[in-house]
Amino acid sequence: AAAASAIRPPVLGLGVHAVGDPGRRAVAVVVPSSPDGPHLIFRNQFFGAPMRNDADTVWMSEWQIESAYRSRLDERRRAAAALQELYEDARENWVKSGHAWLVAVAHPRNPVTAGARPTREQAAAIFQGVEPLTLLWASNAWTHPIEDVDRHNPRPGLRRWIAVNRRVEHTSDWAAAWASVHHDGSVTLACAVGGRRDGPNSKASLNTIEGRTIECAVSDVMGLIRSASSHFGTSEYEVRVGIEPSRGVGIPDPIVIRGADQHGFIYDGTSLRLAKYSPVNVTVTADASDLDFYWQVHDLARDCINQGGLTNVFLISPPARPA
């Protein structure tokens, strides 16, 4: 508790282990590498920046604090560049002309840099671990993109495993999807979201998107983050969710995100007509409690649909937090 409440920024991802026999026990606290140094301890209006020196704790000097802040800012720039590169890689490789696509990527703040690469079986287990999570957060009353990838037979890629699209092109490309788990703990999901069929005679614009489709996609990528975190031991992730509109001949149709009324019927009375969808960026604590993580799923989905003029999510309804 002190690591979260008495230190700023809080120290996350601690490993606490009891060692020894009953009556002669000790507690070992493993502190992971942190990109947020220096971590300050406050006492009234005074503060200090501790650091470890072998078995001792000493206080940073002024120049050491300056260097630590410089390293923090450099790390943030590297993380932002890595997230942007991850997003562009998914967009360039998977997004096709035609339907609008949702692209969601997540990069751990402390990427995995050592250890064995996940095997095909381990990658398959990460992909398969998404479904029970995402169906808890957003029911299967609507289509989930994770159901449109081959979760059981991932293919190797460049330092990643890829769950390939299992939809037949040209006949069901309106529901195409791809997902990947990278060896450094990053995850990506890209799926066609515009003009998804809500009936046999659906003629929605290729840039018209159901808010429920966005909810399911956000829930799926958050499930992928949670499942990957469990395997890699990663904690915080930087996440970006964007929508790439259909680019046909001439002036493209605006992006329209449609909601639903209390009975589930499509309602676009408050929808905005967007010329561009600004990517939504957020930091996610992947190893949060089940309830706290559920609320992170809700809040990210709400941010994503708010941009289109919708107020509330329709599918994702976490229980209230205890008072």
Side-chain angles (χ1 to χ4, degrees), residues 102-106 123 125-151 163 166-167 175-181 185-193 196 211-229 237 239-241 284 286 293-294 296-302 304 315-316:
L102 181 144
V103 178
V105 300
I126 293 173
F127 288 121
Q128 293 169 40
V130 175
E131 187 173 17
L133 295 172
T134 191
L135 294 184
L136 172 66
W137 303 325
S139 73
N140 60 358
W142 204 254
T143 303
H144 282 261
I146 199 67
E147 297 174 336
D148 295 322
V149 302
D150 186 356
R151 304 186 299 279
R166 65 181 184 86
R167 292 282 186 165
W178 298 78
S180 68
V181 172
S186 299
V187 300
T188 65
L189 175 70
C191 55
V193 291
R196 291 177 77 94
R212 287 170 287 187
T213 300
I214 295 176
E215 288 185 55
C216 287
V218 168
S219 180
D220 288 355
V221 76
M222 289 291 280
L224 196 54
I225 292 170
R226 185 77 156 176
S227 186
S229 170
Y237 277 77
V239 181
R240 173 171 297 173
V241 180
V284 167
F293 194 86
Y294 197 167
Q296 290 183 96
V297 177
H298 170 275
D299 292 347
L300 178 55
R302 183 179 58 187
C304 291
L315 298 175
I316 302 173

Side-chain angles (χ1 to χ4, degrees), residues 118-128 151-152 154 161 231:
T119 64
R120 185 190 304 272
E121 291 73 21
Q122 289 171 330
I126 293 173
F127 288 121
Q128 293 169 40
R151 304 186 299 279
H152 301 279
W161 288 99
H231 172 81

Side-chain angles (χ1 to χ4, degrees), residues 152-172:
H152 301 279
N153 185 34
R155 315 285 178 82
L158 177 60
R159 302 190 185 111
R160 72 194 71 177
W161 288 99
I162 302 170
V164 301
N165 173 43
R166 65 181 184 86
R167 292 282 186 165
V168 178
E169 292 190 28
H170 308 304
T171 60
S172 55

Side-chain angles (χ1 to χ4, degrees), residues 91-116:
R91 180 179 60 191
E92 294 299 321
N93 278 296
W94 295 334
V95 173
K96 298 182 179 181
S97 60
H99 301 265
W101 280 65
L102 181 144
V103 178
V105 300
H107 182 69
R109 298 194 67 193
N110 281 318
V112 178
T113 57

Side-chain angles (χ1 to χ4, degrees), residues 35 37-38 60-75 78:
M60 286 185 177
S61 63
E62 187 273 339
W63 71 266
Q64 287 174 318
I65 294 176
E66 178 187 5
S67 177
Y69 275 118
R70 186 181 300 115
S71 295
R72 183 198 289 189
L73 294 176
D74 288 344
E75 182 58 36
R78 285 193 293 269

